Amino acid sequence: MITSSSADRTVLVLYVGGTLGMVASPRGLAAGGNITTRLRDALATLPPTRQARLPAFVVQATEKPIDSSAATAIDWQRLGHTIAKALPDYAGVVVLHGTDTLAWTAASLAYQLQGLDRPVIVTGAMLPLEAPDSDALANVELALRFATEPRLQEVAVAFADKLFRGVCARKLHSEAADAFVSPNYPLLGERVGDDTVLYPARGLEAQQRGAPRFELPDYAPLAAGGVARIVLWPGIQAWQLAAWLEDDRVQGALLEVWGGGNVPEDPALLGVLAKATGEGKLLAAISQCTQGSVAIGQYAAGQGLAEAGVLSGDGMTPEAVLTKLVHLLAQPLDDRERRRRFLTPLVGER
């Protein structure tokens, strides 16, 4: 476990890109520089009582901001290593990230940083920091205040006055400031008036936790499509599924099925799945429904998934499943251990 003096209340702010730091240009919004001064100037506009509640912080910006829509597993890995190295020197970390794939990065960080004993808060904004009516300042303020909360010992997402478990968050709106939700897990905290309220009983610190160590495997072998995401549609054919799963480069796949875990009772299609799992490929299924979970085998139409060796993702989000598959496949584990760990809650994802 990481240890540091309780007197050290400084927060590290990592700016990796996203709309929050963009500025207007003749060709539209573009990456802007000087993020440290801009953040401090924006926070200086808060009422004095709210400024007084902010921790000291230092800012580090990536040399080249990431367009979050182009983020890959390599970016998740690089960020995980950066945070792991820096954590002993800070009370917590805030990551400023683009919203498009913010939930994917938060989920990956949760698996990489198992055993956290302090907060790692991921946030962003739907509008640039200096834009009229921007949500950026409020989100940064919220993240900074939660980043020194010692009872928060996991990766979380701070957005629109709410604090979500990072591995349970999803972006469900492309325009609204209240863009993120946690479909199957309650809030870890929220802003109430000028106060930030944490619900400790919902956090990992109060629950059975995963391994008290960081896991920082090399994601490079999987970054070029090693894990696929396949959403079933009416009329899907076995040959279409095989085009994905029979490719030797694919080592695992997230299957998004219907309802509580249903797929067509097509022997050819189920045969493709069984062949893939028989070859050691890690396949997991979740529901296409935003809320609720799958119970593979509860209906006759889903029994074939169980017989084919497809694992249940329960009520996990697509982000949580895919990043967990990447994380497990990147480690030197045998097939049985990978399957066991997938079915085991590591960071409150299940």
Side-chain angles (χ1 to χ4, degrees), residues 83-342:
I83 294 172
K85 183 178 180 180
L87 266 177
D89 298 325
Y90 298 97
V93 173
V94 170
V95 178
L96 305 182
H97 195 287
T99 61
D100 284 342
T101 58
L102 185 153
W104 299 83
T105 296
S108 178
L109 289 177
Y111 297 126
Q112 294 183 71
L113 304 176
Q114 293 178 52
L116 274 173
D117 66 351
R118 64 199 66 194
V120 172
I121 313 291
V122 189
T123 193
M126 302 300 287
L127 293 172
L129 188 61
E130 292 87 1
D133 301 317
S134 174
D135 58 330
L137 178 58
N139 289 344
V140 171
E141 179 191 9
L142 184 72
L144 284 171
R145 290 180 61 177
F146 274 120
T148 56
E149 171 55 72
R151 295 171 297 171
L152 182 61
Q153 300 183 1
E154 58 184 286
V155 177
V157 169
F159 218 90
D161 294 335
K162 300 178 182 68
L163 188 73
F164 308 101
R165 171 160 290 163
V167 78
C168 296
R170 301 201 70 194
K171 183 182 179 183
L172 284 192
H173 204 295
S174 64
E175 297 174 327
D178 195 7
F180 285 81
V181 298
S182 180
N184 293 319
Y185 197 78
L187 296 177
L188 296 180
E190 60 187 319
R191 176 174 170 166
V192 179
D194 283 345
D195 295 323
T196 51
V197 180
L198 185 74
Y199 305 118
R202 300 174 183 175
L204 286 180
E205 190 274 336
Q207 302 172 12
Q208 182 178 359
R209 303 177 60 194
R213 67 186 187 283
F214 292 168
E215 294 180 354
L216 301 166
D218 183 8
Y219 288 170
L222 295 152
V227 178
R229 180 184 182 184
I230 305 171
V231 183
L232 272 61
W233 65 90
I236 185 172
Q237 300 297 303
W239 66 265
Q240 293 172 310
L241 193 60
W244 285 97
L245 296 181
E246 292 182 359
D247 191 311
D248 291 339
R249 292 169 293 183
V250 174
Q251 299 179 42
L254 161 62
L255 305 174
E256 295 185 35
V257 301
W258 289 291
N262 300 324
V263 296
E265 295 186 75
D266 177 353
L269 188 146
L270 294 171
V272 172
L273 297 176
K275 179 184 177 188
T277 60
E279 294 172 346
K281 297 188 178 185
L282 197 59
L283 307 185
I286 59 171
S287 177
Q288 293 182 22
C289 300
T290 301
Q291 292 183 295
S293 61
V294 296
I296 292 177
Q298 180 177 356
Y299 291 91
Q303 190 63 42
L305 284 176
E307 294 172 350
V310 177
L311 300 173
S312 171
D314 293 335
M316 294 168 67
T317 64
E319 296 88 342
V321 173
L322 190 140
T323 55
K324 189 171 187 179
L325 292 175
V326 169
H327 186 72
L328 294 176
L329 287 164
Q331 299 181 62
L333 306 171
D334 61 33
D335 184 54
R336 171 183 277 187
E337 180 61 12
R338 280 200 184 98
R339 294 173 66 86
R340 185 192 72 78
R341 290 197 192 186
F342 183 84

Side-chain angles (χ1 to χ4, degrees), residues 5-47:
S5 169
S6 60
D8 182 6
R9 308 306 297 160
T10 302
V11 171
L12 173 63
V13 177
L14 293 173
Y15 173 66
V16 299
T19 298
L20 183 148
M22 290 184 173
V23 295
S25 78
R27 300 186 57 143
L29 292 176
N34 203 20
I35 191 67
T36 301
T37 299
R38 293 166 59 204
L39 279 175
R40 294 192 183 280
D41 288 348
L43 290 166
T45 66
L46 293 172

